[in-house]
Amino acid sequence: MNEADLDEQVAQVMIGLIRARRTVDPNTFDCLVGAVLAEIQVGLDIAEEQALERVYRRPVGGNVIQFPVAIPERNGEP
């Protein structure tokens, strides 16, 4: 998705909230806004967690050993 599409989606959410504000009673709208803000917070938490994982996750590969491991001979004994 490009930036214009994302901006259009945000605009549609805002238009929906404005329409809901004009349609529903104040208590219902307050609950609706609370639910929307809770979902936004969840999204922000997920984004923060993903960013931290990218920074602190160990790189994959480089420390893999082949299995089964060949046991080296000792003093010429098999």
Side-chain angles (χ1 to χ4, degrees), residues 71-78:
I71 301 173
E73 295 180 17
R74 293 193 214 172
N75 299 331
E77 296 176 13

Side-chain angles (χ1 to χ4, degrees), residues 16-57:
L17 285 173
I18 291 169
R19 286 183 182 153
R21 173 62 191 105
R22 294 177 181 161
T23 306
V24 299
D25 63 279
N27 289 335
T28 303
F29 184 74
D30 187 45
C31 292
L32 172 66
V33 170
V36 169
L37 291 175
E39 290 298 321
I40 290 171
Q41 187 60 50
V42 169
L44 291 172
D45 291 344
I46 291 170
E48 182 180 2
E49 183 177 322
Q50 289 175 346
L52 289 172
E53 282 186 19
R54 282 192 297 272
V55 171
Y56 293 106
R57 178 173 280 184

